[in-house]
Amino acid sequence: MLTAVDRVAVTIVIDNFLDVLMAGEDRVTRYQAQDFGAPEQLVAEHGFSALVTVEHAGDRQTLLYDAGMTPHAVARNLDVLEVSLGDLRAIVISHGHADHHGGLEGIVRRRGRTRLPLLIHPDAWRERRVALPTGAEIRLPPPSRHDLQAEGLEVVEERAHSLLLDGKVLVSGQVERVTEFEGGFPIHQARGDAGWEPDPMIWDDQALIINVSDHGLVILSGCSHAGAINVLRHAQRLAGETRVAGFIGGLHLTGGLFESRIQPTVTALQAAEVTRVVPAHCTGWKAVHAIAQAMPEAFVQSAVGTTLTF
């Protein structure tokens, strides 16, 4: 059973967008730079990472969901945000693409060799690529189990859903695909025994779920390769809770292959009455604008350094 918590704070550590002059709003705190001449500043990159802190009965526990793309950005941003890596209780990787695990190297270098659990789906180790119609390709190197273990991380493979932080955080595991319009990534491939083979469903895609007392679910999704609405409905089924207080992360609606899914996704988010929608990373500007226009009271612009409290 997923334990309902008193409060959860989600800080965007890595995202594609950064604006240190943005104004905050109710339960949304924006990072405010104090000195533009300081040597260390927040950075944005193509990737995603979020710090999640849950509070229950006076106890606070923190984990990191995803780690961005490059070796140094997530560790740098955590330093600028004055987050102690020693406070982390676990790391969860949403899936095996490099823009979600590449920063692990910098984290373990800063933290040192301590036995920190890292939860990951077993398919995340697969070598992958996007094969473009032009004949070009984009490599998507997986994490290295050997390197992670050598750095002292305790790698935990899990295909099904699982609980972390004494039952206060639920990792979705493999997401059920039930919608008609979310059909995976058609030109995504993985290397098998016989060479490159189609891998459109990206089964290792997994989300993070927290149930906040009197508010409902807070759902974090790195890329939503399973489909954002599949992720949302899977979380509702697992948690036994229909209210959704927040959906945060990438919705993967950018580019010509996915833009036909924008409107049905927005319609389903409206039907689910999601209180806060924070589209980030791979959502794409067309989808972000569509959500902002259709759900102005729910929409929050994601930006590196932003903290949302539920």
Side-chain angles (χ1 to χ4, degrees), residues 8-14 48-54 63-66 92-94 100 169-173 175 205-212 217-224 228 231-232 235 244-251 276 278 280 308 310:
V8 60
V10 178
T11 298
I12 308 299
V13 182
I14 290 292
F48 187 73
S49 178
L51 188 76
V52 180
T53 301
V54 296
L63 61 76
L64 190 72
Y65 178 65
D66 281 350
V92 178
I93 297 301
S94 65
H100 296 264
V169 175
L170 176 63
V171 182
S172 72
V175 175
D205 181 70
Q206 56 184 359
L208 213 64
I209 306 156
I210 306 101
N211 189 6
V212 183
L217 304 179
V218 175
I219 304 168
L220 285 86
S221 185
C223 259
S224 302
V231 169
L232 186 150
V244 181
F247 193 104
I248 304 167
L251 277 65
R276 291 281 197 189
V278 191
L308 302 107
F310 301 87

Side-chain angles (χ1 to χ4, degrees), residues 259-286:
E259 288 176 0
S260 64
R261 304 177 190 179
I262 292 175
Q263 190 53 55
T265 299
V266 173
T267 300
L269 289 171
Q270 290 177 295
E273 298 181 345
V274 181
T275 306
R276 291 281 197 189
V277 182
V278 191
H281 180 38
C282 55
T283 303
W285 71 269
K286 287 186 178 180

Side-chain angles (χ1 to χ4, degrees), residues 40 67 75 84 136 167 185 189 191 198 218 224 250 253-255 280 285 297:
E40 294 294 321
S84 171
F185 198 162
Q189 299 177 347
R191 189 184 292 278
V218 175
S224 302
L253 296 171
T254 190
W285 71 269
E297 299 301 319

Side-chain angles (χ1 to χ4, degrees), residues 183-197:
F185 198 162
I187 58 174
H188 185 269
Q189 299 177 347
R191 189 184 292 278
D193 294 338
W196 291 105
E197 59 189 25

